[in-house]
Amino acid sequence: MKNTSNIPAAGWNFDNSYARLPEKFYTKTDPEPARTPELVIFNKELAESLGLDAELLNSDSGAGIFSGTEIPEGAEPIAQAYAGHQFGNFTMLGDGRAVLLGEQLAPDGQRFDIQLKGSGKTAYSRGGDGRAALGPMLREYIISEAMHGLGVPTSRSLAVAVTEIPVVRESFLPGAVLTRVASSHLRFGTFQYAAQWGTFEELKALADYAIERHYPSVKSLENPYLELLKNVISRQAQLVAKWQLTGFIHGVMNTDNMTISGETIDYGPCAFLDTYEPGRVFSSIDHYGRYSYSNQPKITGWNLARFAETLVPLIDKDQEVAVDLAQEALGDFGNQFQQNWMAGMTAKLGLFGNEEGDDALIDDLLKLMHDNKADYTNTFRALTFDKVEDTAFSGKEDFEEWYNAWKSRLDGQPESAEASHILMRNSNPALIPRNHRVESAIEAAVSQQDYSLMEKLVEAVKNPYAHTVEQLEFTDTPTEDEARSFKTYCGT
Ligand code: AMP
Ligand code: MG
């Protein structure tokens, strides 16, 4: 073990429950020290909510910790073992470039994983260098904080530190470490690993651990493992509905990137839709559109089925009975997704409750958006503020027809127009972290060490339902060239 951090009373309050699981689930691994680490961005609000002393840590000593150079008191760094289906193919994975420092108990009693991403090789690195380049770590910081602001369950970003260790990609790039905070890093792939290579007892220990950590109320129910599955199905149905509603494309929905908690994790080739295009794919490696925007709900269902398979031995001694129970639970995923999505869509249109004909109203709007290459976020924003002249289809006959149908549906509900407007404001973000904006913020930071754009962008995306004047600057759509050429990359 390396020297522990010399910052006294920084508020660290570790209790490392995952490290008490059977050793099969992890490998003790210290992060590799950086040369002259420097904090380039630090999330003071998040630090405070974790009970950390933000002022003390937003310093050179904090840079030591958040680059993996110093270990805070009470941390027990480990790399976690997991497997996963990557684009449909099952394989052994594990934290190849991350270490879990430990679990911080926040003042409100909540438990959070504090993970360093990009801090060097581990037992699971295979051919990789265990490192991360600065650009992609800044990208994860921006997008995850934006997702949190949008109200989408997600891991958070506490800090990015540059390491002064160059990372070899197509060229030499500045290296960095991201400190990621999540309610856990238990993945579908953690269960797949246990089911494939663990004993029954090890699988059971993992399931009991996940229940204790995320769904303790199921312990007293008749079949806790079936209830675990049902809870994960519900959380994932809520999550993917939120992705669809905000136009978020994860890009690499492998089972190792899906959490038991229902939080979004592993921001790699993700991006937000500008124009509404259901088949949109941004990722350079997603050649067949497996993880396209419109496929995300279906893929979530597929991933849940892989998770369910791992629980079969726990659900019932009789395999046939267990499979039937699991299948019945999985069968409800589609309905749950649809319900969550519908509730979100009606709110986006200012509708309270759901009436017959709402499906068609929503479908017709989406079709209009698709046909007219309308910007997804800005269209809903224009409807919220009744500025239809700002939409791509203003003045078009079929839009006028849709608009009148929508208005009469709104007029027919008992709630006031004001209440409806407030519902829309709270359901339609002023802005999303648009790809071209994210790229320019990262470019300024990486090439000129100018973090002002990034800070401004993070500030703007933090509270997207505020609809402030400052946010307007970030609502511009990309040029056709920018939109066409934008690609995202994995393994960065
Ligand atoms: P991801 O696409 O980020 O979910 O990563 C998939 C797997 O590749 C995980 O096991 C990662 O830990 C591993 N991995 C990604 N990048 C690297 C790297 N630079 N060095 C070692 N392992 C990596
Ligand atoms: Mg991953």
Side-chain angles (χ1 to χ4, degrees):
M1 172 74 73
K2 282 189 280 189
N3 287 343
T4 52
S5 159
N6 55 7
I7 306 183
W12 294 108
N13 184 21
F14 283 109
D15 174 56
N16 307 320
S17 62
Y18 187 93
R20 297 195 284 269
L21 277 172
E23 276 186 29
K24 176 161 248 140
F25 289 107
Y26 61 90
T27 305
K28 285 189 180 155
T29 313
D30 277 345
E32 288 172 20
R35 283 183 202 149
T36 45
E38 199 190 320
L39 264 189
V40 290
I41 193 142
F42 181 67
N43 195 335
K44 288 193 194 128
E45 273 169 50
L46 178 59
E48 277 161 13
S49 75
L50 290 167
L52 298 173
D53 187 328
E55 224 164 285
L56 209 57
L57 289 169
N58 192 12
S59 63
D60 285 348
S61 315
I65 291 180
F66 300 120
S67 62
T69 312
E70 287 184 66
I71 311 286
E73 212 175 307
E76 296 173 75
I78 56 172
Q80 294 180 312
Y82 52 85
H85 275 91
Q86 296 196 303
F87 289 90
N89 302 309
F90 185 72
T91 183
M92 174 62 200
L93 295 160
D95 286 334
R97 57 160 171 176
V99 295
L100 176 65
L101 284 181
E103 296 150 34
Q104 169 79 359
L105 294 181
D108 64 2
Q110 285 196 74
R111 177 182 296 270
F112 292 98
D113 276 9
I114 309 289
Q115 192 203 62
L116 302 180
K117 185 169 176 179
S119 59
K121 281 190 191 164
T122 75
Y124 313 108
S125 296
R126 294 164 290 159
D129 60 1
R131 304 226 164 257
L134 174 60
M137 295 305 99
L138 295 178
R139 195 152 192 284
E140 169 152 354
Y141 189 106
I142 299 168
I143 311 256
S144 63
E145 288 308 295
M147 290 285 271
H148 177 71
L150 286 162
V152 185
T154 178
S155 63
R156 306 277 314 267
S157 296
L158 181 59
V160 176
V162 288
T163 58
E164 302 291 326
I165 302 170
V167 174
V168 189
R169 297 293 182 256
E170 306 81 45
S171 56
F172 285 95
L173 297 171
V177 173
L178 171 85
T179 303
R180 174 155 95 171
V181 178
S183 73
S184 87
H185 286 83
L186 295 175
R187 306 152 189 266
F188 292 8
T190 318
F191 279 78
Q192 290 182 289
Y193 168 76
Q196 181 77 19
W197 290 293
T199 61
F200 177 83
E201 280 68 34
E202 283 162 340
L203 175 66
K204 185 172 177 302
L206 178 66
D208 289 339
Y209 177 74
I211 287 172
E212 188 66 48
R213 192 155 174 186
H214 294 294
Y215 306 102
S217 64
V218 309
K219 273 188 295 186
S220 57
L221 301 177
E222 197 189 318
N223 192 335
Y225 305 110
L226 179 63
E227 298 300 330
L228 169 64
L229 174 61
K230 287 184 182 169
N231 274 277
V232 175
I233 289 170
S234 296
R235 293 274 180 100
Q236 286 288 337
Q238 287 165 28
L239 181 67
V240 71
K242 289 197 168 171
W243 288 359
Q244 301 307 99
L245 290 163
T246 49
F248 174 76
I249 305 175
H250 184 281
V252 59
M253 291 174 69
N254 295 331
T255 55
D256 54 301
N257 294 336
M258 300 286 110
T259 57
I260 301 304
S261 66
E263 285 175 356
T264 312
I265 57 158
D266 274 9
Y267 292 90
C270 61
F272 281 85
L273 280 180
D274 289 298
T275 53
Y276 180 71
E277 206 185 314
R280 194 71 164 99
V281 173
F282 290 105
S283 168
S284 64
I285 59 166
D286 191 358
H287 305 300
Y288 302 103
R290 179 180 171 92
Y291 300 142
S292 68
Y293 174 72
S294 57
N295 254 6
Q296 295 190 126
K298 200 177 89 192
I299 289 291
T300 303
W302 190 87
N303 288 341
L304 282 164
R306 305 290 79 74
F307 172 58
E309 283 162 5
T310 70
L311 295 178
V312 163
L314 298 171
I315 289 175
D316 201 284
K317 281 199 193 83
D318 183 332
Q319 190 179 330
E320 237 173 84
V321 173
V323 169
D324 282 351
L325 288 169
Q327 260 167 359
E328 197 190 326
L330 287 167
D332 198 38
F333 168 74
N335 281 334
Q336 288 191 39
F337 163 72
Q338 193 59 31
Q339 269 172 24
N340 282 300
W341 184 81
M342 201 55 198
M345 266 297 168
T346 45
K348 282 173 89 64
L349 288 175
L351 305 176
F352 293 87
N354 197 347
E355 279 179 15
E356 216 185 303
D358 288 350
D359 290 26
L361 196 66
I362 292 165
D363 285 352
D364 290 350
L365 175 64
L366 292 176
K367 187 171 182 314
L368 274 165
M369 286 167 68
H370 189 197
D371 291 349
N372 292 281
K373 297 191 168 51
D375 184 85
Y376 181 76
T377 303
N378 284 350
T379 298
F380 281 106
R381 195 163 54 89
L383 294 176
T384 303
F385 294 96
D386 216 356
K387 289 200 164 158
V388 286
E389 64 277 14
D390 292 349
T391 59
F393 28 65
S394 150
K396 296 205 173 168
E397 205 177 309
D398 45 0
F399 175 67
E400 295 298 326
E401 225 171 86
W402 179 87
Y403 183 79
N404 292 335
W406 174 51
K407 282 283 160 185
S408 73
R409 168 72 175 85
L410 283 171
D411 290 343
Q413 60 182 5
E415 290 82 4
S416 68
E418 179 59 15
S420 199
H421 172 65
I422 292 171
L423 178 63
M424 289 184 78
R425 279 181 75 120
N426 293 333
S427 311
N428 295 311
L431 77 170
I432 44 157
R434 287 185 188 273
N435 308 319
H436 64 297
R437 288 295 191 159
V438 173
E439 290 309 294
S440 25
I442 294 173
E443 168 66 22
V446 175
S447 334
Q448 291 138 47
Q449 291 77 52
D450 175 2
Y451 284 83
S452 58
L453 249 183
M454 164 152 177
E455 280 160 12
K456 227 171 131 188
L457 177 61
V458 169
E459 199 51 42
V461 295
K462 235 195 246 172
N463 195 357
Y465 304 105
H467 296 278
T468 63
V469 177
E470 291 76 34
Q471 289 175 323
L472 288 177
E473 184 190 335
F474 295 98
T475 62
D476 65 326
T477 55
T479 62
E480 255 179 57
D481 257 5
E482 279 171 330
R484 205 179 17 249
S485 61
F486 183 71
K487 276 243 170 285
T488 57
Y489 300 90
C490 262
T492 36

